[in-house]
Amino acid sequence: MTDALEINVTKAERSKLKDLNLENIPFGKYFTDHMLEADYENGEWKNVEIKPYQPLLLEPSLSALHYGQAIFEGIKAYRSEDGDAFIFRPYDNFRRFNQSAERMNMPEIPEDIFIEGMKQLIDLDRNWIPAKPDHSLYIRPVMFSTDTTLGVKPSDTYKFLILLSPTGPYYAAPMKIAVEEKYTRAAPGGVGFSKNAGNYGGSMKAATDAKKLGYDQVLWTDAFEHKWLQEVGMMNVFFIINGLAVTPSLEEGTILAGVTRDSAIMLLKDMGFTVDERKISIDELTSAYSKGYLQEVFGTGTAATIAMIKELKYKDQVMEFEPANFKIAAELKNRMNAIKEGKAEDKYGWLIKI
Ligand SMILES: *Cc1c(COP(=O)(O)O)cnc(C)c1O
């Protein structure tokens, strides 16, 4: 990068932080004083500004609302014990955001707007990063199409925003998961690997149906046989089978390549485990369970980090686990959190200082 990015900054007159107690604050409910906004027009990004968090004025014909060109990311920033602020692996999210953009026929966002813009925004709202264990600042970049015509075509104009939301400990109670046999999240050639808004709209019915039966989420399976395992809700999934870590592989493009998934693979290898990224079927899982080989099951994602799974239901079979005895998942979670909170060596360079 040569020139520093020129960002217009308008500061909020009064901070809302005074009205809020950051302790145990719920996920995604409150937003900081400022947001970043940029517009894409005539083939270039312009009007990059940081301004007070506020509503947007949009036309009813906004193309994103009708045809769904909308993508997002989820990242976290932490405050270390000595007060420094860090973002966890934002370059990985930056790359993934542009892969989502490419798939959805949207323009790429330049690195300086995404990364430098994010850093400047967080720096301005630095006091909003809760300085408490397990608390963090959730960062939500989002891009959507803004043409105001009902013609079905890729939009010529887009808006990019970064919102910041302080968040308390994400209490991930051990989950009960139903293996999905009716609905499909992703198929080869589709958009499953992208973080586009429609993927989430399309998955809500399955989650709601599962909840009616007492389950927290579904374990997605492939579109053709409902047999090959994909991911749990908005998390990637890991299995410990007979001392070996296994997670579904990414090559079919039907799984979101989680940054937490990637971090978990590296840390599990550090812990001395072999990690197999490969196709894994529900039949292999039930068979391993019946032999007593299926030791631990957990999900990985930015919001919860590691979420233990205590029950998996497939047809009339129920596989039960005791998450309190999950030694590997617990150790993995501790190692990951220690790095994020600056308490363990960051040997992979995951933390970007602000
Ligand atoms: C965001 C997301 C994940 C987790 O990705 P992280 O980068 O680890 O937060 C997993 N699956 C889906 C469908 C997601 O949207």
Side-chain angles (χ1 to χ4, degrees), residues 96 185 195 200 231 233-236 256 258-260 301-302:
R96 189 170 70 190
R185 194 192 87 91
K195 231 170 159 76
Y200 306 87
E231 48 190 319
M234 288 182 70
M235 285 189 281
N236 294 112
L256 201 289
V259 177
T260 319
T302 294

Side-chain angles (χ1 to χ4, degrees), residues 72 185 192 194-205 233-234 256:
F72 68 96
R185 194 192 87 91
S194 73
K195 231 170 159 76
N196 91 83
N199 280 344
Y200 306 87
S203 70
M204 286 180 191
K205 173 76 173 147
M234 288 182 70
L256 201 289

Side-chain angles (χ1 to χ4, degrees), residues 19-292:
D19 314 330
L20 213 61
N21 174 7
L22 289 184
E23 199 149 338
N24 295 322
I25 198 159
F27 176 77
K29 182 162 178 194
Y30 299 100
F31 296 92
T32 65
D33 291 325
H34 301 92
M35 65 185 196
L36 180 139
E37 183 172 348
D39 292 307
Y40 185 85
E41 258 173 46
N42 301 322
E44 59 175 343
W45 286 99
K46 51 177 80 161
N47 311 332
V48 187
E49 56 176 332
I50 289 174
K51 59 189 198 179
Y53 181 89
Q54 59 191 274
L56 303 169
L57 189 63
L58 300 166
E59 294 270 347
S61 59
L62 188 88
S63 62
L65 294 176
H66 300 263
Y67 305 128
Q69 278 183 297
I71 60 172
F72 68 96
E73 268 302 329
I75 310 169
K76 275 182 173 178
Y78 299 84
R79 197 118 69 119
S80 71
E81 268 171 355
D82 38 23
D84 289 330
F86 296 95
I87 318 177
F88 188 72
R89 302 190 68 175
Y91 289 93
D92 295 83
N93 297 89
F94 165 66
R95 278 190 289 275
R96 189 170 70 190
F97 193 74
N98 279 339
Q99 284 161 5
S100 298
E102 204 273 329
R103 179 63 185 86
M104 298 304 288
N105 211 333
M106 299 164 82
E108 291 197 353
I109 189 91
E111 181 177 319
D112 56 356
I113 298 179
F114 192 97
I115 300 281
E116 288 309 313
M118 181 184 299
K119 282 185 177 174
Q120 283 194 36
L121 178 65
I122 296 173
D123 193 32
L124 190 59
D125 283 340
R126 175 181 288 265
N127 292 339
W128 284 83
I129 311 176
K132 298 193 178 66
D134 297 332
H135 289 62
S136 59
L137 185 71
Y138 184 78
I139 307 162
R140 168 55 59 90
V142 56
M143 190 208 298
F144 54 89
S145 59
T146 53
D147 277 7
T148 52
T149 163
L150 296 184
V152 184
K153 62 168 191 60
S155 185
D156 292 322
T157 60
Y158 295 84
K159 191 178 283 296
F160 174 73
L161 302 168
I162 303 179
L163 319 178
L164 304 176
S165 177
T167 166
Y170 188 103
Y171 174 65
M175 297 186 298
K176 289 172 73 173
I177 302 290
V179 178
E180 182 60 55
E181 290 183 85
K182 177 178 174 191
Y183 300 109
T184 298
R185 194 192 87 91
V191 293
F193 67 89
S194 73
K195 231 170 159 76
N196 91 83
N199 280 344
Y200 306 87
S203 70
M204 286 180 191
K205 173 76 173 147
T208 300
D209 285 4
K211 280 191 182 114
K212 283 184 195 145
L213 299 172
Y215 291 86
D216 298 300
Q217 254 304 348
V218 301
L219 174 51
W220 293 107
T221 52
D222 73 286
F224 307 109
E225 301 176 85
H226 286 300
K227 165 180 167 180
W228 302 101
L229 307 176
Q230 294 180 340
E231 48 190 319
V232 272
M234 288 182 70
M235 285 189 281
N236 294 112
V237 68
F238 283 76
F239 308 100
I240 306 293
I241 303 174
N242 208 11
L244 220 74
V246 182
T247 189
S249 45
L250 304 174
E251 73 271 353
E252 290 186 331
T254 52
I255 293 175
L256 201 289
V259 177
T260 319
R261 173 188 183 277
D262 189 65
S263 308
I265 290 172
M266 288 199 231
L267 291 178
L268 284 166
K269 287 180 178 167
D270 274 357
M271 286 158 61
F273 291 96
T274 301
V275 185
D276 269 355
E277 292 181 68
R278 62 170 168 85
K279 287 183 81 165
I280 177 164
S281 70
I282 185 64
D283 303 324
E284 177 182 345
L285 219 55
T286 52
S287 149
Y289 181 81
S290 67
K291 292 181 190 135

